Amino acid sequence: MTNNKQIKIGVFGGSGFYEFLKKTKEIQIKTPFGAPSDKITIGEYQGRKIAFLPRHGKRHQYPPHKIPYRANLWAFKKLGVERIIAPTAVGSLKPKIKPGDFVISDQFINWTKKREDTFFNGPKTAHISSADPFCSVLRNLAIKTCKNLKIPVHSKGTIVIIEGPRFSSRAESRFFSSIADIINMTAYPEIILARELEICYANIALVTDYDVGLQ
């Protein structure tokens, strides 16, 4: 049985992350919200135990609007995870934010419409603050690490999350560029569900291209 007290760090991301982990094993976690996106891999990196889950599933079987977000977050909480690192691919909405840059998001705008985004559907209810949604400790660590590695990094940025799976029209993209810096389909509701479970969460966004409104 895995010692939950040793697993403090969780990572959501793509399958390429597996190559960083050693001494791996897979476990299945049951949650009140169904199965997570896939089996969770428990491995080690530099002596620390890490829980890793590919948010889209190993076969990329879940499109952004169908990812079982609540099950994914609940499973990490059940394992004892206290901090989540969540890399995402994003499009840039600003000319100064270039493909290849990292953005350490500090704010979000939710533009999704159909996702289950709370654990408090009654009879228990809670109202949480979203004023400063991302973990400042993890954000500062990510910024410092990027600078040490000489990775082009923007120390803050507002990420707008759209429903998907389609991309924006040019008109939508130009509108989003007036209210946000980068655009993505998965950061919400991960961030808010993590806050409800009192798990620190940091979004590390890799810019893959300029969004269509800038092209």
Side-chain angles (χ1 to χ4, degrees):
M1 182 68 178
T2 300
N3 184 349
N4 293 1
K5 292 183 178 180
Q6 295 178 351
I7 306 173
K8 303 296 186 183
I9 301 170
V11 178
F12 292 132
S15 58
F17 188 78
Y18 287 114
E19 65 185 70
F20 295 107
L21 298 178
K22 302 182 184 300
K23 301 179 182 179
T24 61
K25 66 177 180 179
E26 292 185 335
I27 60 173
Q28 190 80 52
I29 300 288
K30 294 182 179 180
T31 85
F33 308 98
S37 297
D38 220 307
K39 292 180 179 179
I40 295 175
T41 297
I42 307 299
E44 290 188 11
Y45 180 75
Q46 294 187 355
R48 291 180 179 267
K49 283 190 177 294
I50 294 174
F52 172 72
L53 180 61
R55 61 163 65 85
H56 292 282
K58 286 182 182 176
R59 295 177 284 109
H60 213 85
Q61 65 266 36
Y62 291 105
H65 64 299
K66 293 293 186 180
I67 292 171
Y69 292 101
R70 291 193 298 176
N72 290 351
L73 270 296
W74 191 271
F76 270 8
K77 182 69 173 182
K78 191 173 181 179
L79 282 172
V81 168
E82 297 178 353
R83 302 182 188 276
I84 293 174
I85 301 169
T88 55
V90 302
S92 171
L93 295 168
K94 302 291 191 215
K96 68 179 181 180
I97 301 177
K98 301 176 176 60
D101 289 1
F102 278 24
V103 180
I104 313 303
S105 304
D106 68 322
Q107 289 291 316
F108 74 85
I109 297 172
N110 172 36
W111 213 260
T112 68
K113 303 175 180 66
K114 299 182 292 186
R115 305 181 184 189
E116 293 282 357
D117 62 355
T118 184
F119 293 109
F120 297 109
N121 281 318
K124 183 178 180 179
T125 302
H127 304 282
I128 63 169
S129 172
S130 301
D132 298 296
F134 297 98
C135 175
S136 60
V137 174
L138 289 181
R139 288 188 65 255
N140 289 335
L141 180 60
I143 293 164
K144 180 180 178 180
T145 301
C146 284
K147 290 180 177 178
N148 288 342
L149 295 174
K150 301 189 184 307
I151 295 172
V153 61
H154 301 266
S155 59
K156 63 180 182 178
T158 296
I159 182 170
V160 59
I161 304 95
I162 61 173
E163 192 69 73
R166 73 170 180 87
F167 293 113
S168 303
S169 69
R170 293 187 190 278
E172 288 172 326
S173 180
R174 286 193 292 269
F175 169 71
F176 291 139
S177 69
S178 71
I179 61 172
D181 302 298
I182 50 179
I183 188 167
N184 167 263
M185 297 180 187
T186 59
Y188 189 92
E190 278 185 2
I191 172 57
I192 213 65
L193 294 173
R195 284 191 68 78
E196 286 190 347
L197 293 176
E198 298 182 322
I199 302 174
C200 292
Y201 179 102
N203 169 247
I204 301 175
L206 170 62
V207 180
T208 59
D209 60 356
Y210 286 116
D211 204 52
V212 67
L214 295 183
Q215 297 175 7

